[in-house]
Amino acid sequence: MTRIPDAVAVASLDTHRLIVAVPNKGPAEVSCNLPRPVAASVLRQLADSLDSPAGRCDTALATGRPCPVHDAPTSPRGITSPSRALLDDAQGVGEAAARGIRKAQRPAGLDALLGYVAASMADEEQAAEEPPALTADDVRDALAFNADDRDQVLATLRDVLLDTTATRAPEQALAAARILLTAHARQLAALVEAEHNATQSRWGLNRSTRGLLTGYSNARRTIRTYADRLADEQALAEGAANEQVEP
């Protein structure tokens, strides 16, 4: 015959701030309209109270010091006052009842379960509050967005520096620097090439302009080599990072 419970309690977030349901089988369910750090603190306090030794009241647990009522010394000459005796008797009955409740109703591993739920809620809150990291693709997207700007690299550098919402580790900052400097170097190479072409178109290739045009060509080649080296270093860094992420 199926056991019928003595009472059924119905709770909702309209009347409760935190509801923890621990079925006999299956995972626990947590409903909460408290801030996650507050809920995690409440669950930790509940786990600590279930694990606390018998004979310690809430005041002693909260302060870490002897309770001025429950742990007060006896009166002079070792004689306990009637009020103190009644208090001790009540405390003893309460402790015995608490021990019986813990033994009879506490599911196995409940303290560990509550601790796990509290820690997971705190981790989720921290992960939700942590801003996304600046990635290499973010920098490339910013360059593409500023493609029509008068100075594409300068505008992108401005946007990256102003974006304080994204976190930057040293590796991410280095990646952003490589990408921006690569684009800037290629921009300079294009300017040198344009000057080379303009000079040759205006004056032609002759004895007077040969040295100047050769200097332009050498400068353009040097800048392009620098840009290619930065691009290769960034490609190697991204490849190594992808290998670490893949299982």
Side-chain angles (χ1 to χ4, degrees):
M1 180 177 179
T2 304
R3 178 181 177 275
I4 300 176
D6 297 332
V8 177
V10 179
S12 71
L13 291 180
D14 293 333
T15 57
H16 294 71
R17 303 300 301 275
L18 176 64
I19 304 171
V20 180
V22 184
N24 291 330
K25 294 181 180 180
E29 297 181 3
V30 179
S31 300
C32 176
N33 58 13
L34 288 170
R36 286 186 175 272
V38 176
S41 177
V42 171
L43 288 171
R44 290 193 183 95
Q45 292 177 18
L46 179 57
D48 291 341
S49 67
L50 290 173
D51 257 348
S52 63
R56 295 184 62 192
C57 65
D58 291 339
T59 302
L61 288 174
T63 62
R65 298 176 180 177
C67 175
V69 176
H70 299 91
D71 300 326
T74 58
S75 58
R77 300 180 182 177
I79 300 176
T80 304
S81 63
S83 59
R84 175 63 186 179
L86 291 174
L87 184 60
D88 291 342
D89 292 341
Q91 180 182 359
V93 172
E95 291 171 358
R99 287 194 296 270
I101 291 173
R102 292 191 186 100
K103 183 181 296 184
Q105 297 184 359
R106 176 180 172 183
L110 180 57
D111 53 347
L113 172 64
L114 291 173
Y116 172 78
V117 173
S120 63
M121 293 181 70
D123 292 341
E124 290 178 5
E125 177 67 16
Q126 182 178 2
E129 293 179 353
E130 184 175 353
L134 179 69
T135 65
D137 289 337
D138 292 336
V139 181
R140 295 189 181 99
D141 291 342
L143 279 170
F145 180 81
N146 294 316
D148 296 333
D149 196 275
R150 184 173 63 87
D151 193 326
Q152 178 190 23
V153 178
L154 183 62
T156 304
L157 179 60
R158 173 203 61 199
D159 295 342
V160 171
L161 293 177
L162 287 176
D163 184 11
T164 58
T165 61
T167 59
R168 294 169 177 82
E171 296 80 4
Q172 295 158 348
L174 184 59
R178 288 197 193 101
I179 295 171
L180 290 175
L181 287 177
T182 298
H184 184 55
R186 287 174 177 164
Q187 190 179 52
L188 292 177
L191 292 175
V192 173
E193 184 175 7
E195 191 68 20
H196 174 277
N197 294 336
T199 301
Q200 187 172 3
S201 298
R202 183 176 182 181
W203 304 107
L205 179 61
N206 51 51
R207 219 167 175 188
S208 301
T209 61
R210 185 182 302 275
L212 180 60
L213 295 176
T214 301
Y216 282 143
S217 298
N218 291 338
R220 178 183 57 192
R221 183 168 54 253
T222 301
I223 296 172
R224 284 181 175 175
T225 300
Y226 173 68
D228 292 341
R229 178 173 65 81
L230 289 175
D232 292 341
E233 290 177 357
Q234 180 58 28
L236 290 174
E238 292 184 23
N242 292 333
E243 290 179 357
Q244 293 178 356
V245 173
E246 293 177 357

